[in-house]
Amino acid sequence: PGSSSNEAANTTHNSNEKTENFRISPAKLGSADVVPTLAFPSISTADFQFDLEKASDIIVEKAEEFLPKLGTARLVLVDLSQGSKILSLVKAKAAQKNIDSAKFFTFVGDITKLRSEGGLHCNVIANATNWRLKPGGGGVNAAIFKAAGPDLETATRVRANTLVPGKAVVVPLPSTCPLHNAEGVTHVIHVLGPNMNPNRPDNLNNDYTKGCKTLREAYTSLFEGFLSVVQ
Ligand code: AR6
């Protein structure tokens, strides 16, 4: 683990980002001067209890499919801890497929503090949300709604009131939003993944045929949403 490429990615991208931050005036952060980057959590694999092996295959497959459409833009899978199983699986599988690690990499950090604490500027972040698109509920959804403050709920309501599994909705953040002005995040993309947790709505009862199909759709919607922001 000590020699993981995640650490290498960390170092490389940290220094790049610092250069960018030094060069670019704060007013421009979040604009086109920054390499467009989507930071996303692993959809469905914590509270929604989706199988990690299957999820990691789908993440790598979808990243590989979208990278050619993204130009210079980057995709970054984020999780909170260095010991994250999903990050290790994805990193290993992406390396096996020779995916360009400058354009798709894993990163350890809190998705709401990537620039301030990790030195990685991501202008778009994804949220693993619930069907009501409501704050709270724990996990990354609670963290993102908390960091963004009430602006995110208001901006979300303009776009949608609910979401079905497999779909995503792109929400532009006003410049008054703390996530925008402190972290340079201009858009949040809410994604609803398939649920395998019997205590949550729309439980698929371990039906991984449906589950994998819905998770693929979720990443397709997410990456298409990101494409619509960067194009
Ligand atoms: N920064 C980066 N990654 C995080 C963070 C964070 N602050 N917090 C969690 N993760 P989960 P799901 C990682 O449970 O399985 C909510 O209650 C986490 O380690 O947030 O899709 C919603 O309201 C994991 O790898 O999402 C829904 O009801 C990944 O984010 C439900 O949970 C996703 O974990 C969605 O469940």
Side-chain angles (χ1 to χ4, degrees):
S3 63
S4 73
S5 64
N6 194 40
E7 281 174 14
N10 244 314
T11 314
T12 313
H13 291 288
N14 278 354
S15 58
N16 284 347
E17 292 297 321
K18 275 183 187 131
T19 315
E20 282 170 5
N21 287 355
F22 183 73
R23 192 166 47 80
I24 296 163
S25 71
K28 282 199 160 182
L29 287 169
S31 76
D33 292 51
V34 173
V35 185
T37 307
L38 170 70
F40 65 100
S42 169
I43 310 298
S44 293
T45 57
D47 193 44
F48 280 178
Q49 300 178 3
F50 200 94
D51 180 82
L52 296 180
E53 281 289 349
K54 291 183 172 69
S56 59
D57 284 337
I58 291 171
I59 292 169
V60 174
E61 169 197 316
K62 285 290 156 185
E64 190 178 32
E65 178 188 330
F66 272 83
L67 277 187
K69 306 178 191 180
L70 285 173
T72 57
R74 307 180 296 185
L75 303 175
V76 185
L77 176 69
V78 177
D79 200 358
L80 287 168
S81 80
Q82 199 64 246
S84 163
K85 181 110 188 282
I86 192 76
L87 291 195
S88 322
L89 287 167
V90 165
K91 197 163 44 178
K93 290 175 184 182
Q96 252 169 28
K97 289 187 154 197
N98 288 317
I99 296 179
D100 183 354
S101 63
K103 294 184 72 186
F104 174 50
F105 53 95
T106 61
F107 196 86
V108 176
D110 182 332
I111 204 163
T112 66
K113 295 172 184 164
L114 290 174
R115 193 174 78 187
S116 59
E117 290 187 357
L120 179 71
H121 184 200
C122 299
N123 62 321
V124 183
I125 65 172
N127 177 29
T129 194
N130 49 71
W131 74 275
R132 289 179 193 276
L133 295 160
K134 281 285 191 189
V140 76
N141 184 73
I144 290 176
F145 271 102
K146 183 161 181 253
D151 280 349
L152 178 58
E153 229 194 316
T154 309
T156 299
R157 289 294 151 249
V158 173
R159 305 274 155 159
N161 285 311
T162 58
L163 210 54
V164 295
K167 293 288 175 210
V169 58
V170 178
V171 178
L173 293 179
S175 53
T176 50
C177 176
L179 213 44
H180 191 152
N181 60 49
E183 298 292 333
V185 176
T186 61
H187 297 76
V188 169
I189 305 180
H190 298 295
V191 194
L192 182 61
N195 171 38
M196 296 297 180
N197 179 345
N199 302 313
R200 297 287 178 270
D202 294 319
N203 169 29
L204 288 177
N205 263 313
N206 259 19
D207 179 347
Y208 272 99
T209 306
K210 262 191 197 152
C212 288
K213 181 170 180 280
T214 305
L215 193 62
R216 283 197 178 87
E217 287 168 4
Y219 282 106
T220 299
S221 305
L222 168 60
F223 295 157
E224 276 173 356
F226 179 51
L227 263 175
S228 76
V229 172
V230 302
Q231 271 168 355

Short mmCIF file of all heavy atoms in Angstrom, two decimals, residues 75-99:
data_model
loop_
_atom_site.label_atom_id
_atom_site.label_comp_id
_atom_site.label_asym_id
_atom_site.label_seq_id
_atom_site.Cartn_x
_atom_site.Cartn_y
_atom_site.Cartn_z
N LEU A 75 -11.39 12.41 -14.93
CA LEU A 75 -12.33 11.75 -14.01
C LEU A 75 -11.55 11.26 -12.80
O LEU A 75 -10.51 10.62 -12.95
CB LEU A 75 -12.99 10.54 -14.69
CG LEU A 75 -13.75 10.78 -15.99
CD1 LEU A 75 -14.23 9.44 -16.57
CD2 LEU A 75 -14.94 11.71 -15.75
N VAL A 76 -12.07 11.55 -11.60
CA VAL A 76 -11.37 11.15 -10.39
C VAL A 76 -12.32 10.45 -9.42
O VAL A 76 -13.31 11.05 -8.96
CB VAL A 76 -10.77 12.38 -9.66
CG1 VAL A 76 -9.94 11.94 -8.47
CG2 VAL A 76 -9.94 13.24 -10.60
N LEU A 77 -12.02 9.19 -9.11
CA LEU A 77 -12.82 8.47 -8.12
C LEU A 77 -12.27 8.78 -6.73
O LEU A 77 -11.08 8.60 -6.47
CB LEU A 77 -12.75 6.96 -8.37
CG LEU A 77 -13.48 6.11 -7.33
CD1 LEU A 77 -14.99 6.28 -7.40
CD2 LEU A 77 -13.10 4.63 -7.47
N VAL A 78 -13.15 9.27 -5.85
CA VAL A 78 -12.70 9.73 -4.53
C VAL A 78 -13.30 8.85 -3.42
O VAL A 78 -14.44 8.39 -3.53
CB VAL A 78 -13.17 11.19 -4.32
CG1 VAL A 78 -12.78 11.69 -2.93
CG2 VAL A 78 -12.57 12.11 -5.38
N ASP A 79 -12.51 8.60 -2.39
CA ASP A 79 -13.05 8.00 -1.17
C ASP A 79 -12.28 8.55 0.02
O ASP A 79 -11.21 9.15 -0.15
CB ASP A 79 -12.98 6.46 -1.23
CG ASP A 79 -13.96 5.81 -0.23
OD1 ASP A 79 -14.65 6.53 0.52
OD2 ASP A 79 -14.03 4.57 -0.20
N LEU A 80 -12.87 8.33 1.22
CA LEU A 80 -12.35 8.99 2.41
C LEU A 80 -11.04 8.44 2.95
O LEU A 80 -10.27 9.18 3.55
CB LEU A 80 -13.41 8.91 3.52
CG LEU A 80 -14.63 9.83 3.34
CD1 LEU A 80 -15.72 9.45 4.33
CD2 LEU A 80 -14.22 11.30 3.53
N SER A 81 -10.81 7.12 2.77
CA SER A 81 -9.64 6.59 3.46
C SER A 81 -8.65 5.90 2.52
O SER A 81 -9.03 5.34 1.48
CB SER A 81 -10.05 5.64 4.57
OG SER A 81 -10.36 4.38 4.02
N GLN A 82 -7.42 5.93 2.93
CA GLN A 82 -6.31 5.30 2.22
C GLN A 82 -6.58 3.80 2.05
O GLN A 82 -6.18 3.21 1.06
CB GLN A 82 -5.03 5.53 3.04
CG GLN A 82 -3.73 5.36 2.31
CD GLN A 82 -3.52 6.37 1.19
OE1 GLN A 82 -3.47 5.98 0.03
NE2 GLN A 82 -3.39 7.64 1.53
N GLY A 83 -7.30 3.21 3.02
CA GLY A 83 -7.58 1.76 2.97
C GLY A 83 -8.81 1.41 2.14
O GLY A 83 -9.25 0.26 2.15
N SER A 84 -9.38 2.37 1.44
CA SER A 84 -10.60 2.13 0.68
C SER A 84 -10.47 0.96 -0.31
O SER A 84 -9.62 0.97 -1.19
CB SER A 84 -10.98 3.40 -0.09
OG SER A 84 -11.92 3.10 -1.11
N LYS A 85 -11.32 -0.03 -0.12
CA LYS A 85 -11.30 -1.23 -0.98
C LYS A 85 -11.68 -0.87 -2.42
O LYS A 85 -11.07 -1.35 -3.37
CB LYS A 85 -12.28 -2.25 -0.38
CG LYS A 85 -12.38 -3.55 -1.11
CD LYS A 85 -11.76 -4.69 -0.32
CE LYS A 85 -11.69 -5.97 -1.15
NZ LYS A 85 -12.98 -6.67 -1.24
N ILE A 86 -12.68 -0.02 -2.57
CA ILE A 86 -13.13 0.31 -3.93
C ILE A 86 -12.04 1.06 -4.70
O ILE A 86 -11.83 0.82 -5.88
CB ILE A 86 -14.49 1.07 -3.92
CG1 ILE A 86 -15.10 1.15 -5.32
CG2 ILE A 86 -14.39 2.47 -3.31
CD1 ILE A 86 -15.73 -0.11 -5.81
N LEU A 87 -11.30 1.93 -4.00
CA LEU A 87 -10.21 2.64 -4.69
C LEU A 87 -9.13 1.66 -5.15
O LEU A 87 -8.66 1.74 -6.29
CB LEU A 87 -9.58 3.73 -3.80
CG LEU A 87 -10.40 4.96 -3.46
CD1 LEU A 87 -9.49 6.07 -2.89
CD2 LEU A 87 -11.19 5.51 -4.63
N SER A 88 -8.76 0.71 -4.29
CA SER A 88 -7.72 -0.27 -4.68
C SER A 88 -8.18 -1.11 -5.86
O SER A 88 -7.41 -1.34 -6.80
CB SER A 88 -7.39 -1.26 -3.56
OG SER A 88 -7.39 -0.64 -2.34
N LEU A 89 -9.44 -1.57 -5.81
CA LEU A 89 -9.95 -2.41 -6.91
C LEU A 89 -9.94 -1.64 -8.22
O LEU A 89 -9.48 -2.14 -9.25
CB LEU A 89 -11.37 -2.88 -6.59
CG LEU A 89 -11.52 -3.96 -5.52
CD1 LEU A 89 -12.98 -4.10 -5.09
CD2 LEU A 89 -10.98 -5.29 -6.04
N VAL A 90 -10.43 -0.42 -8.19
CA VAL A 90 -10.54 0.37 -9.42
C VAL A 90 -9.15 0.70 -9.96
O VAL A 90 -8.90 0.62 -11.15
CB VAL A 90 -11.38 1.64 -9.16
CG1 VAL A 90 -11.22 2.66 -10.28
CG2 VAL A 90 -12.85 1.25 -9.00
N LYS A 91 -8.25 1.07 -9.04
CA LYS A 91 -6.89 1.41 -9.46
C LYS A 91 -6.23 0.23 -10.16
O LYS A 91 -5.63 0.37 -11.23
CB LYS A 91 -6.08 1.82 -8.23
CG LYS A 91 -4.84 2.56 -8.54
CD LYS A 91 -4.30 3.28 -7.34
CE LYS A 91 -4.35 2.41 -6.09
NZ LYS A 91 -3.78 3.07 -4.92
N ALA A 92 -6.36 -0.96 -9.57
CA ALA A 92 -5.76 -2.16 -10.14
C ALA A 92 -6.38 -2.50 -11.50
O ALA A 92 -5.68 -2.80 -12.46
CB ALA A 92 -5.90 -3.33 -9.18
N LYS A 93 -7.70 -2.42 -11.58
CA LYS A 93 -8.37 -2.77 -12.84
C LYS A 93 -8.11 -1.75 -13.95
O LYS A 93 -7.99 -2.10 -15.12
CB LYS A 93 -9.88 -2.95 -12.61
CG LYS A 93 -10.18 -4.20 -11.79
CD LYS A 93 -11.64 -4.38 -11.43
CE LYS A 93 -11.79 -5.60 -10.52
NZ LYS A 93 -13.19 -5.91 -10.15
N ALA A 94 -8.00 -0.48 -13.58
CA ALA A 94 -7.70 0.55 -14.57
C ALA A 94 -6.28 0.37 -15.10
O ALA A 94 -6.02 0.54 -16.29
CB ALA A 94 -7.88 1.94 -13.96
N ALA A 95 -5.36 0.00 -14.21
CA ALA A 95 -3.97 -0.23 -14.62
C ALA A 95 -3.89 -1.42 -15.57
O ALA A 95 -3.19 -1.38 -16.59
CB ALA A 95 -3.08 -0.45 -13.40
N GLN A 96 -4.64 -2.48 -15.22
CA GLN A 96 -4.68 -3.67 -16.10
C GLN A 96 -5.13 -3.33 -17.51
O GLN A 96 -4.66 -3.91 -18.48
CB GLN A 96 -5.70 -4.66 -15.53
CG GLN A 96 -5.09 -5.89 -14.90
CD GLN A 96 -6.14 -6.69 -14.13
OE1 GLN A 96 -7.33 -6.65 -14.45
NE2 GLN A 96 -5.70 -7.39 -13.11
N LYS A 97 -6.04 -2.39 -17.62
CA LYS A 97 -6.57 -2.02 -18.93
C LYS A 97 -5.76 -0.89 -19.58
O LYS A 97 -6.19 -0.33 -20.59
CB LYS A 97 -8.02 -1.57 -18.79
CG LYS A 97 -8.99 -2.70 -18.48
CD LYS A 97 -10.42 -2.16 -18.54
CE LYS A 97 -11.43 -3.24 -18.88
NZ LYS A 97 -12.70 -2.66 -19.33
N ASN A 98 -4.66 -0.52 -18.93
CA ASN A 98 -3.79 0.55 -19.45
C ASN A 98 -4.52 1.87 -19.66
O ASN A 98 -4.26 2.60 -20.63
CB ASN A 98 -3.14 0.14 -20.78
CG ASN A 98 -2.07 -0.91 -20.55
OD1 ASN A 98 -1.29 -0.79 -19.59
ND2 ASN A 98 -2.06 -1.94 -21.37
N ILE A 99 -5.43 2.19 -18.78
CA ILE A 99 -6.14 3.47 -18.89
C ILE A 99 -5.19 4.59 -18.44
O ILE A 99 -4.47 4.44 -17.44
CB ILE A 99 -7.42 3.44 -18.04
CG1 ILE A 99 -8.38 2.39 -18.61
CG2 ILE A 99 -8.09 4.81 -17.99
CD1 ILE A 99 -9.67 2.23 -17.88
#
